[in-house]
Amino acid sequence: MLPQIAVAQQATPAATRALRQRLPQDEVIYFLLPDRFENGDPANDRGGIGGDRMAHGFDPAHKGFYHGGDLKGLIQRLDYIQALGATAIWVAPIFRNKPVQGGPGQESAGYHGYWVTDFTQVDPHFGSNADFKALVDAAHGRGMKVYMDIIANHTADVIRYRECGDCAYRSRADYPYSRQGGVKGKAINPGFAGDQVMTTGNFARLTDPNWAYTPYVPEAERNVKVPAWLNDPIHYHNRGNTTFENESSTMGDFVGLDDLMTESPVVVQGMIDIFGGWIDRFGIDGFRIDTARHVNPEFWQKFVPAMRQRAKAKGIPNFHIFGEVALDGVNPGGLARFTHVDRYPAVLDFAFRSAVIESIAGKGGTDLFVRLLDGDALYAEGADILPTFTGNHDGGRFGHYVRKAFPKAGDAEVLARVELAHAFMFGLRGVPTIYSGDEQGFAGDGIDQDAREDMFPSKVAVYNDNRLIGTDRTTAASNFDTGHPLFRAFARLAAIRRDSAALRRGRTLVRAYGKEPGLFAVSRFDPDNGAETLLLFNTGTKPVSGNVEVDPATRGFTAKHGPCASVTAPGSAAYALPPLGYAICEASK
């Protein structure tokens, strides 16, 4: 039996205004893949497509195919998400996808949403545009925001090359736009001044796409993309697969995915029209933008302001835009570059993720967090609007890294490390972002498909043999347990953050850290009255105790969580933390 459908609540004008006025840093984000969340309507499992799984993409026993989750299922579970304390839902791409692609033996489905053919419609595996409107209305009725995951870098793999199937990248130097098939080839595209002259007049001279390869669209897919301009190969780079280095990083195909010519004014305006239309029609609250680092900066310099302007015209003054810039290590400078050069308001905080993995799912010291926070001054619009996260659908779940680093750790230690990492996420600056399933103890087997388990009962053997954290359940059962210890911990942390302006928007002052696992202490200050909230974390497996500096004006603390410090003299407080413990201490009123 399917769970009872949640009642769709229509937001009143006053409620909508209140929601719109909330700042991005006041949210707690819950990220999910609709296909893996809840199946509300089994009738759409095959997307209305006949044939076998290679046609419709539905195979609930295979980790790389559609499993049946949809927007109606998400609406049914809004109670659950709200009980967790989330105030914004980030939904993986819902656009119509190519159902199946990949070479023989390598086929998989577009269940994740990143192989778009129609940018204007919801994929029928997930429902309809009307279902998406129902979701946005229901979420807004509860005071919850909805963020869309969007792609401007590429489309599904539709374009083919006459010369090869899996084609190597061919550079502009060796295969210029002015010659067919290399520097000694036939002259083509006379007068085209190169892709760095990003004017309508210049790109009007780019008419022949045969500079590196001979691209073509198979007859059966000649008009599969929407809007129609996307079907013309002239709007793509057509240079073969990216190596993720040098110019290929922004101009190469992602394992065959058709890489858009984002230097072209036609593509720039086309994408502005597409995604501006979703703002106009549905009144969504933000965009997470896929593969942000793999698009030329000039595109974002036009696109991002256009989206913010479109949202303001719709009455959405705090539209949250954050880009995926997947960089390894605690490297805030590398991330912050995209807030200046590309002019992104925010990026996903991969530096935070690296810090928690290297320290709590590793053996690094707490000085990693100092390196992280020292970089906050580099972000153009501040670090407090960066979504922070411990794991995701691409890089794997945090629990996986804990078990990999500490294979002999018992269940209690693994649980404590996962909770501690999320305590950092909820306590430090940024926008806490929970990956669905983490609150149910999902750990996964690795990255990508191995970290995309079903929340509803799964039929995937390599998911169902996983040992979950904090529970005896498996993914073969429904996992919406509000009594799970991690669910309760996350909900408690979300409530503490919701009630604390210091944690949501306050200034951060590091109090103590070290080069080994152990104490990390910071104070956060209420932006309105300056009151201190002290956060104490122990990343080590031994108890820690001592004295920590506090504001001399603080006379005592009220414990919001854990064993709080006691002020022993003006400017000093004594603390004692258990292994892998933490405390959140608010200055007594």
Side-chain angles (χ1 to χ4, degrees):
M1 179 180 293
L2 290 173
Q4 183 177 358
I5 296 177
V7 176
Q9 301 176 356
Q10 293 293 326
T12 65
T16 300
R17 285 194 296 272
L19 175 128
R20 300 299 196 206
Q21 292 305 313
R22 287 205 314 260
L23 298 174
Q25 54 268 49
D26 288 340
E27 312 301 338
V28 172
I29 302 172
Y30 188 77
F31 167 55
L32 59 91
L33 281 73
D35 180 66
R36 303 299 165 92
F37 193 64
E38 181 62 285
N39 190 347
D41 184 5
N44 63 28
D45 287 353
R46 292 169 176 77
I49 302 169
D52 62 13
R53 72 171 192 155
M54 291 303 180
H56 51 63
F58 178 69
D59 182 352
H62 192 293
K63 66 181 180 179
F65 280 71
Y66 285 98
H67 291 176
D70 51 35
L71 296 177
K72 288 181 179 178
L74 174 51
I75 294 171
Q76 291 172 2
R77 293 295 185 180
L78 289 178
D79 281 342
Y80 169 85
I81 298 172
Q82 194 163 34
L84 184 60
T87 61
I89 304 170
W90 158 16
V91 184
I94 58 169
F95 314 105
R96 183 187 290 267
N97 267 228
K98 186 171 184 176
V100 178
Q101 63 181 47
Q106 301 295 319
E107 302 94 344
S108 63
Y111 69 92
H112 42 67
Y114 295 103
W115 298 343
V116 184
T117 54
D118 187 341
F119 285 86
T120 68
Q121 299 292 322
V122 168
D123 190 288
H125 291 86
F126 302 148
S128 65
N129 285 19
D131 291 330
F132 184 64
K133 183 178 188 305
L135 168 64
V136 175
D137 289 347
H140 285 176
R142 295 166 176 268
M144 303 172 73
K145 296 181 179 180
V146 176
Y147 298 156
M148 293 185 75
D149 198 320
I150 67 170
I151 309 102
N153 176 65
H154 57 262
T155 71
D157 183 9
V158 173
I159 296 173
R160 300 285 181 267
Y161 301 134
R162 301 282 182 194
E163 291 81 359
C164 45
D166 189 20
C167 298
Y169 186 79
R170 289 181 169 178
S171 71
R172 287 179 293 188
D174 293 325
Y175 294 86
Y177 294 107
S178 59
R179 294 290 185 270
Q180 180 178 329
V183 293
K184 296 182 180 180
K186 181 182 72 174
I188 58 174
N189 300 316
F192 181 63
D195 55 29
Q196 297 305 295
V197 181
M198 301 172 197
T199 63
T200 300
N202 183 48
F203 271 85
R205 301 184 184 98
L206 187 69
T207 58
D208 187 335
N210 298 315
W211 46 80
Y213 291 103
T214 310
Y216 72 98
V217 177
E219 186 62 35
E221 296 181 295
R222 187 169 296 278
N223 296 304
V224 73
K225 294 182 185 179
V226 180
W229 61 266
L230 289 163
N231 294 298
D232 189 340
I234 201 67
H235 299 307
Y236 298 83
H237 285 123
N238 302 317
R239 291 187 173 276
N241 286 332
T242 181
T243 65
F244 300 99
E245 295 178 348
N246 301 315
E247 72 176 54
S248 84
S249 180
T250 61
M251 303 184 73
D253 299 340
F254 273 48
V255 196
L257 296 174
D258 302 345
D259 198 70
L260 282 156
M261 178 80 78
T262 45
E263 297 84 1
S264 167
V266 172
V267 176
V268 174
Q269 189 58 50
M271 287 293 161
I272 288 173
D273 292 342
I274 286 169
F275 295 118
W278 286 90
I279 297 173
D280 293 345
R281 288 182 290 159
F282 299 98
I284 53 174
D285 306 284
F287 287 147
R288 178 268 194 185
I289 303 182
D290 182 64
T291 53
R293 65 180 292 199
H294 299 296
V295 175
N296 58 303
E298 296 84 359
F299 176 89
W300 300 128
Q301 290 164 11
K302 292 182 174 65
F303 180 86
V304 170
M307 293 302 98
R308 298 177 100 176
Q309 183 178 1
R310 199 76 163 251
K312 286 181 180 179
K314 183 69 175 178
I316 312 171
N318 295 309
F319 194 81
H320 198 188
I321 297 177
F322 49 100
E324 179 204 26
V325 179
L327 297 178
D328 293 330
V330 183
N331 179 17
L335 295 173
R337 169 197 174 278
F338 288 83
T339 70
H340 290 277
V341 177
D342 299 64
R343 298 177 192 166
Y344 264 92
V347 292
L348 283 164
D349 197 349
F350 278 85
F352 173 87
R353 174 179 178 265
S354 292
V356 292
I357 286 179
E358 292 177 32
S359 60
I360 306 168
K363 299 179 181 179
T366 56
D367 57 336
L368 286 162
F369 293 99
V370 178
R371 192 192 314 169
L372 171 78
L373 297 172
D374 280 350
D376 285 359
L378 301 175
Y379 295 97
E381 297 189 23
D384 57 350
I385 60 173
L386 307 181
T388 51
F389 64 105
T390 67
N392 65 14
H393 60 313
D394 290 327
R397 296 185 184 273
F398 187 77
H400 166 73
Y401 288 96
V402 171
R403 284 181 169 156
K404 183 178 180 181
F406 302 100
K408 296 182 180 180
D411 292 344
E413 180 180 336
V414 174
L415 177 66
R417 288 184 182 275
V418 172
E419 180 176 341
L420 180 61
H422 286 82
F424 270 89
M425 185 179 80
F426 279 95
L428 298 186
R429 92 294 179 271
V431 189
T433 304
I434 302 166
Y435 176 33
S436 67
D438 281 357
E439 78 281 6
Q440 296 296 325
F442 289 9
D445 292 319
I447 65 172
D448 198 72
Q449 294 179 8
D450 289 322
R452 299 174 181 179
E453 306 96 318
D454 303 303
M455 294 285 284
F456 58 98
S458 182
K459 297 181 180 180
V460 180
V462 295
Y463 292 163
N464 294 341
D465 66 2
N466 290 349
R467 182 163 53 97
L468 304 190
I469 301 166
T471 180
D472 292 330
R473 288 173 177 261
T474 72
T475 55
S478 180
N479 280 278
F480 293 95
D481 179 15
T482 57
H484 190 288
L486 287 173
F487 184 100
R488 295 200 311 269
F490 295 178
R492 180 176 63 251
L493 288 164
I496 293 170
R497 185 180 181 91
R498 180 193 64 224
D499 295 337
S500 172
L503 298 187
R504 297 194 314 276
R505 287 179 259 133
R507 177 174 63 92
T508 299
L509 178 61
V510 176
R511 296 297 195 182
Y513 63 94
K515 294 185 178 298
E516 302 293 334
L519 178 69
F520 183 68
V522 296
S523 291
R524 307 287 310 277
F525 295 93
D526 189 300
D528 298 319
N529 59 27
E532 180 177 18
T533 295
L534 178 67
L535 298 111
L536 302 165
F537 306 95
N538 180 10
T539 65
T541 54
K542 297 179 180 180
V544 294
S545 61
N547 297 304
V548 64
E549 184 181 7
V550 296
D551 190 332
T554 298
R555 294 292 180 259
F557 290 105
T558 299
K560 294 299 180 180
H561 175 82
C564 270
S566 59
V567 175
T568 54
S572 182
Y575 68 88
L577 288 175
L580 302 173
Y582 63 96
I584 303 173
C585 315
E586 188 176 89
S588 302
K589 295 181 175 62

